[in-house]
Amino acid sequence: MKRLPIVPTLIVGLAVAAMIALGLWQLLDRLPKKEAYLAQLAANPARPVIAFPLFPDDSLLFRRTVADCHPPVAIRRAGAGAAGFRLIATCSVPQGSMQVQLGTTHDPRAVSDWPGGRVTGYVSHAPDSRSLLQSAFDHRPQDMLLVTDSPIPGLDANPRPGISGIPNNHLAYAVQWFLFAAIAAIIYALAVIRRNRMVVVSNTPR
C-alpha cells in the first residue's frame, strides 16, 4: 500500500482548503453584499433631494443633491475619459470645502471664471490621485463630488453618473480561487503518483 507523505499532504490540504474558503467567502458573502449595494445605488437617483454630503458616504452616491458655492476658491481640470476634461471647482463652506464638477470640455487649456452660486446635481466620487497599489494599502474613503445637472456656459454636459462604472468582480474572484484550489490539488496528485512510481521502480528486483 502506497502511503501519502504526511507533511506535504497536510500543507497542500490546508492550502487547498484555504483557497476553497476564500472562494466561498467571495461567493456567499461578498457577492450578495455587493449586489445589494449596487441595487441601492441604482435606486438612489429616484430618492428625495438631499443637501450635499461634506463627508464621505458611499451609500449616498447618485443621490440628487443641492449646495451653494460662494465663490469658488479654485477651478482645476481633471481627466474625463472620452469626454476629454472636466472642470472642477473647489468651494469654501463652513465645514471645510466641497468640489463641484461644472461640465466637460475637449479643450486641454479650458478655463472658467464661474463666480459660484447654487448648484444642483448628483453625488459622485471626486477624482482620486492614488494609484491602484496605493489604494490597496490606503483605505481612506474617496472624497465626494457634486456633478451638476446643467453645465456652466462654455462647457459640455456632464455624463450622468451610473453603476456601470462600479466593478462587481466577486463572482470572478470566487471562480479564480476554486480554480487555484483545483490546480493545486491536481498538481500535487500528479506529483504523488510520479513519486510512487519512482519508488516502485527503485524497489523492483533486477
Side-chain angles (χ1 to χ4, degrees), residues 12-65:
V12 173
L14 289 174
V16 169
M19 294 176 195
I20 293 174
L22 287 169
L24 291 174
W25 174 61
Q26 290 287 345
L27 186 63
L28 303 179
D29 182 77
R30 297 292 295 156
L31 178 61
K33 288 180 180 178
K34 190 58 171 286
E35 289 177 340
Y37 173 63
L38 291 176
Q40 175 189 356
L41 296 189
N44 272 355
R47 293 190 166 101
V49 177
I50 59 172
F52 182 75
L54 299 178
F55 301 98
D57 185 349
D58 285 356
S59 68
L60 299 178
L61 287 175
F62 313 141
R63 286 288 298 265
R64 293 189 58 80
T65 186

